[in-house]
Amino acid sequence: FRGITKNNKILVNRLNYNVVYFLFKSCAFRLGLPLKEFSPHSSRAGFVTSAYENGAMITKIMEQARMKSVQTVHRYIR
């Protein structure tokens, strides 16, 4: 995830993990969802699982998720 300025300019640097974590938790809280079920990690696992179940090539999942091994992809599939 990358930041966006008030003028809708996308920033080059990635957001710090703690910022992303806070955003996930605050959005889940505002929506009345169970906080323990939402995190950047669960989102990553959800992406990998959904992509795999929908027939995406493992190499494309690895590229998108910036994973270096097939074993890592398989660990994320739920």
Side-chain angles (χ1 to χ4, degrees), residues 1-2 5 10 12 14-15 18 30 33 42 48 51 58 61 72:
F1 295 100
R2 298 187 316 180
T5 67
I10 299 173
V12 175
R14 289 188 270 171
L15 294 175
N18 292 326
R30 282 187 255 142
L33 301 172
S42 65
V48 171
I58 295 288
I61 296 171
T72 302

Side-chain angles (χ1 to χ4, degrees), residues 36-50:
K36 66 181 179 178
E37 294 182 20
F38 293 91
S39 71
H41 185 267
S42 65
S43 175
R44 184 176 173 92
F47 158 72
V48 171
T49 301
S50 293

Side-chain angles (χ1 to χ4, degrees), residues 10 19 23 42 74:
I10 299 173
V19 172
L23 290 171
S42 65
H74 285 288

Side-chain angles (χ1 to χ4, degrees), residues 8-70:
N8 294 323
K9 179 182 177 193
I10 299 173
L11 302 175
V12 175
N13 295 331
R14 289 188 270 171
L15 294 175
N16 175 294
Y17 178 83
N18 292 326
V19 172
V20 176
Y21 184 86
F22 173 78
L23 290 171
F24 267 74
K25 294 297 183 179
S26 64
C27 288
F29 177 78
R30 282 187 255 142
L31 293 169
L33 301 172
L35 298 182
K36 66 181 179 178
E37 294 182 20
F38 293 91
S39 71
H41 185 267
S42 65
S43 175
R44 184 176 173 92
F47 158 72
V48 171
T49 301
S50 293
Y52 181 79
E53 288 176 347
N54 285 290
M57 294 174 23
I58 295 288
T59 54
K60 291 295 182 184
I61 296 171
M62 289 171 61
E63 182 181 320
Q64 183 67 33
R66 296 184 180 176
M67 295 177 169
K68 294 182 180 178
S69 73
V70 173

